[in-house]
Amino acid sequence: MATPESGATLESVATVAGVSRQTVSNVLNAPERVAPETRQRVEDAIRELRYRPNRSARSLRTRISRLVGYCVQPTPAGNLNPVLDRFVHAVTESAAEHGFHVLLFTAPAGTAGLDRYAELLAQRAVDGFVLADTVVADPRPGWLTEQGVPFVAFGRSWSGPDIGRWVDVDGAAGMTEAVEHLHALGHRRIAFIGWPEGSGVGDDRVAGYTAACLRLGLDPRVVRAEGGAETGRALAGALLDGDGAQEPPTALVCVSDESAYGALRALADRGLRPGEDVAVVGFDDTPAARLPGVDLTSLSQPIEQIGRESVLMLLGLLGVVETPPGPEHRLLRPSLVVRASSRPAVPPTEA
């Protein structure tokens, strides 16, 4: 079947491509079974004829919807998350390469949101889910496992035994690299600005910072609070002003770029220069980190790789693609991108 606009059918595509009707069906439903040259001819014919398969009819035949569910968590107005924006794009692009699409939906956090997942499953609207924003005591992995629903998570379970397949970033390793970088520059008073205890991701990052400090013979100094840039600004300001008992830090490692942007403002408030007077390192390598005047050293997450691997894991569970045997859990290292905020200014050359 095809969309009324084009008038093309499976048979007309097969005729133009010089293949059988079954080969066209294989290109649409299981492209990995078709030789690359043949698949290219069929795809060219599909584009030429503007053929669009009828998804509802195809679902009845194959018993799959070729849709992957992804929940977009509600956020306060004005709060942006460039990392998850990149992740959604990577998942969507990777799914499309295998003839799947992403169904976006919203649901409340916690057990209150499980009804939305159950509703989609009852309607057979999706074949499985890609989860993100996993938190401590997240009920979704356990519930989906009990229902026998395929899923892959971007993020660990954070509490109790790991459930299901996941891909995640090794935040502890990233923070260890940040501390080692600052130590190599000569910093010995390195403080950490983090999120409240129990956040999962935040605890993982502070653990890497603390372990690196102890290994290098440094005294860990951790301050924590909920919030973004303004919270980072307040915490950094308190550290820089000192309490009389400890000297101010010469470097700040921040749990996120948002916190680091606040720390940079705290430096500016006091006439201090990033990278020269006090070094600052963030986490996420968000777009603003690269702006002139910001130049924030940050840890970059391999988001595109995480998106691809999440989709391939899920499609492997669905039996749509053949994936080589591999670990159920993938922990990927972030990479440190060094910029001016942790790099002393180059002294001027003498004439």
Side-chain angles (χ1 to χ4, degrees):
M1 300 182 71
T3 56
E5 293 85 356
S6 69
T9 64
L10 208 65
E11 289 77 8
S12 61
V13 172
T15 299
V16 171
V19 298
S20 68
R21 186 180 187 278
Q22 182 59 50
T23 298
V24 177
S25 179
N26 285 342
V27 169
L28 293 171
N29 299 304
E32 70 280 355
R33 299 180 184 174
V34 184
E37 299 83 0
T38 303
R39 186 168 66 241
Q40 186 63 54
R41 291 208 315 276
V42 172
E43 290 172 348
D44 289 343
I46 288 172
R47 283 191 291 270
E48 178 185 341
L49 298 176
R50 293 185 298 141
Y51 174 71
R52 295 292 183 271
N54 185 309
R55 186 174 67 81
S56 298
R58 200 163 92 193
S59 297
L60 290 174
R61 293 194 303 272
T62 63
R63 297 287 182 182
I64 64 173
S65 67
R66 303 192 80 81
L67 288 175
V68 174
Y70 180 89
C71 180
V72 180
Q73 295 281 4
T75 57
N79 281 24
L80 302 177
N81 193 327
V83 173
L84 287 184
D85 288 347
R86 285 173 55 203
F87 178 67
V88 172
H89 184 273
V91 167
T92 302
E93 190 173 66
S94 182
E97 291 173 358
H98 298 277
F100 277 68
H101 297 284
V102 177
L103 176 66
L104 299 179
F105 65 99
T106 61
T111 56
L114 296 179
D115 286 347
R116 201 67 53 84
Y117 288 81
E119 180 183 337
L120 291 171
L121 292 171
Q123 296 171 351
R124 296 188 179 182
V126 297
D127 302 317
F129 295 93
V130 171
L131 308 181
D133 278 331
T134 57
V135 296
V136 172
D138 196 320
R140 296 175 298 172
W143 186 84
L144 290 170
T145 299
E146 289 174 1
Q147 306 301 314
V149 178
F151 74 93
V152 174
F154 171 16
R156 285 161 270 181
S157 300
W158 297 119
S159 54
D162 276 315
I163 301 173
R165 294 176 180 263
W166 53 256
V167 185
D168 202 6
V169 174
D170 194 340
M175 286 306 186
T176 294
E177 185 177 359
V179 172
E180 291 173 344
H181 162 68
L182 294 168
H183 185 268
L185 292 176
H187 294 282
R188 298 298 181 265
R189 299 195 304 276
I190 304 171
F192 183 89
I193 295 175
W195 295 320
E197 188 173 353
S199 70
V201 172
D203 290 350
D204 183 51
R205 294 178 186 179
V206 75
Y209 158 82
T210 302
C213 285
L214 294 176
R215 181 170 52 79
L216 294 169
L218 308 179
D219 292 328
R221 189 175 180 187
V222 177
V223 292
R224 293 178 159 193
E226 186 71 46
E230 283 307 310
T231 299
R233 185 179 188 175
L235 293 177
L239 288 167
L240 295 169
D241 292 341
D243 56 8
Q246 293 178 294
E247 291 187 81
T250 63
L252 301 172
V253 177
C254 302
V255 71
S256 68
D257 280 0
E258 282 296 309
S259 296
Y261 298 144
L264 291 175
R265 291 176 193 167
L267 264 62
D269 294 340
R270 291 157 179 80
L272 298 173
R273 297 163 298 178
E276 296 182 63
D277 299 316
V278 179
V280 179
V281 177
F283 199 115
D284 289 333
D285 196 28
T286 47
R290 301 184 284 275
L291 293 177
V294 179
D295 287 325
L296 175 67
T297 293
S298 186
L299 287 147
S300 177
Q301 303 189 51
I303 295 299
E304 285 68 30
Q305 182 182 356
I306 294 169
R308 287 194 304 271
E309 294 202 18
S310 297
V311 169
L312 287 176
M313 276 188 178
L314 180 60
L315 298 187
L317 291 173
L318 293 171
V320 175
V321 298
E322 293 184 11
T323 56
E328 292 188 356
H329 308 136
R330 291 274 285 132
L331 198 57
L332 305 178
R333 288 183 66 99
S335 56
L336 185 69
V337 182
V338 177
R339 299 189 180 93
S341 73
S342 72
R343 188 170 51 211
V346 178
T349 57
E350 295 184 5

